[in-house]
Amino acid sequence: MRRRTLLAAGGALMLSVTACTRAPTAAPRPAPAGTPTASRQDPGQVERTLASLRKVDDLPLYEMTYAGDYDPTVGISAPPTASPFGCSLFAALGDRGRPLFARNFDWEPNPALVLRTDPPDGYASISLVDISYLGVGPDPAGDRRLLNAPLLPFDGMNERGLAVGLAADDRATARPVPGRPTAGSVRILRLVLDNAATVDEAIGVFERYNLDFAGGPPLHYLLADATGASAVVEFVDGRLRAQRGRGRWQALTNVPVIDVPERRLRQDHRYGVVAAALDKAGGAVDSPAALKLLDAVRQPHTRWSVTYGLRTGEVRLVTARGGGERRYQLAMS
């Protein structure tokens, strides 16, 4: 496929804040019998992966570096989800032409994980995972189900500056196309992060799979890359559609956007607030301004707010109970 550079700091993402606590050391806990695993690791890599787990705030938020390879095609059954609460995402050309991607993840009060991956045949990335979907509770130390964490990124960015995030879309229906393999509606984000360097390539990944919305709400997706390109991917009347950004920003909440007039989109409160602010700034927002805008549309159930610098590799993260901003740096290839 291609060979990429390693993550910063000797293959690991660097955390720029130091007030964090390591999760208690624990012997690996076996997953329930019959649970499939994505791991393609040797025992030493499994041990290093689980030993890297750290609790860094009281959301609770954890960090983990995945050592070695995984199989992104393994299927795991996510628990049924509650009614969607909503998310807010936008991509903008950014300050001084440095594009960024921003999102609020609004959902149940579940523990989350900042995950670092660097697969041998895919792009290195950083992503955020709601670990309840792995069947993991708020005390995950030693739980081997964490080895499935690469399969369920809810948003993320890879070393080529390609970012992707999801939001619930009640009206979406995905009609299977004969001959295509099936991917879960969250797992498709892993396939995109590992294999796509541009928005066009990411759309191509979506087009190679049938998406399975079973067990969770239907979804739509926002993509953006280091060139400033962006696109929304939705399923309209069962068929995959992509609408590329035509201006200096593109936004997504929980209302369909493809073929919908902009004036109607702005009737959605969160979309309207984001659109008005990005119009006023001409899309020229930096990470602090983007986080401020995310705060303006946060909800009582917002779990995290994150920005991804698509050329700089900088990630800024604020959680509902984080006590401050956390920063990460991904080396860009």
Side-chain angles (χ1 to χ4, degrees):
M1 185 180 292
R2 74 235 145 230
R3 187 56 246 170
R4 304 107 32 252
T5 58
L6 293 176
L7 293 172
L13 288 171
M14 295 187 297
L15 177 66
S16 67
V17 291
T18 57
C20 56
T21 58
R22 184 172 295 278
T25 301
R29 300 203 299 264
T35 300
T37 176
S39 173
R40 294 297 178 264
Q41 304 160 291
D42 61 40
Q45 291 170 328
V46 169
E47 183 178 356
R48 291 199 301 276
T49 296
L50 296 179
S52 73
L53 186 72
R54 298 194 305 172
K55 182 181 178 181
V56 295
D57 77 23
D58 292 330
L59 184 70
L61 176 71
Y62 295 88
E63 299 170 359
M64 190 176 78
T65 298
Y66 192 100
D69 201 6
Y70 49 84
D71 182 353
T73 66
V74 170
I76 63 173
S77 297
T81 58
S83 298
F85 292 138
C87 295
S88 303
L89 307 88
F90 62 87
L93 290 184
D95 181 48
R96 290 178 287 179
R98 293 181 295 191
L100 60 77
F101 184 97
R103 78 100 101 245
N104 280 345
F105 181 68
D106 305 341
W107 205 247
E108 298 279 7
N110 300 324
L113 176 71
V114 178
L115 179 67
R116 313 158 177 88
T117 55
D118 189 8
D121 58 351
Y123 295 126
S125 68
I126 181 170
S127 59
L128 282 158
V129 180
D130 179 334
I131 61 175
S132 69
Y133 282 74
L134 304 171
V136 176
D139 180 17
D143 195 322
R144 292 179 64 93
R145 286 173 292 189
L146 289 170
L147 302 179
N148 282 330
L151 300 184
L152 294 176
F154 284 71
D155 53 70
M157 174 181 68
N158 68 23
E159 64 178 298
R160 296 301 299 274
L162 187 284
V164 58
L166 56 79
D169 174 10
D170 279 342
R171 301 181 189 179
T173 57
R175 184 184 306 123
V177 176
R180 290 183 184 175
T182 297
S185 57
V186 178
R187 180 163 56 89
I188 191 68
L189 273 68
R190 171 54 54 198
L191 297 168
V192 166
L193 290 171
D194 284 0
N195 296 288
T198 67
V199 165
D200 284 346
E201 290 180 5
I203 293 171
V205 173
F206 273 95
E207 290 174 339
R208 291 197 292 272
Y209 291 89
N210 291 316
L211 291 202
D212 180 9
F213 290 145
L219 301 172
H220 55 181
Y221 308 84
L222 181 64
L223 305 164
D225 66 31
T227 71
S230 65
V232 167
V233 171
E234 289 185 340
F235 290 82
V236 182
D237 297 327
R239 185 167 64 91
L240 185 151
R241 297 274 305 279
Q243 182 167 295
R244 290 168 171 79
R246 294 185 290 269
R248 299 182 62 84
W249 59 267
Q250 191 169 21
L252 185 68
T253 56
N254 301 100
V255 295
V257 303
I258 292 182
D259 296 334
V260 177
E262 182 70 12
R263 64 182 181 278
R264 187 184 305 171
L265 292 175
R266 296 188 186 219
Q267 294 173 6
D268 176 76
H269 171 70
R270 284 177 287 118
Y271 187 100
V273 170
V274 169
L278 292 175
D279 275 348
K280 183 177 181 179
V285 291
D286 58 11
S287 292
L291 285 171
K292 184 176 180 180
L293 178 52
L294 290 175
D295 188 58
V297 293
R298 71 178 293 110
Q299 302 183 85
H301 45 271
T302 297
R303 304 305 293 157
W304 67 73
S305 302
V306 62
T307 65
Y308 296 99
L310 305 184
R311 290 185 185 169
T312 65
E314 181 185 60
V315 181
R316 298 194 183 194
L317 173 66
V318 177
T319 67
R321 298 178 62 184
E325 179 184 300
R326 311 190 73 81
R327 298 186 189 184
Y328 304 85
Q329 184 64 47
L330 177 64
M332 310 301 279
S333 63

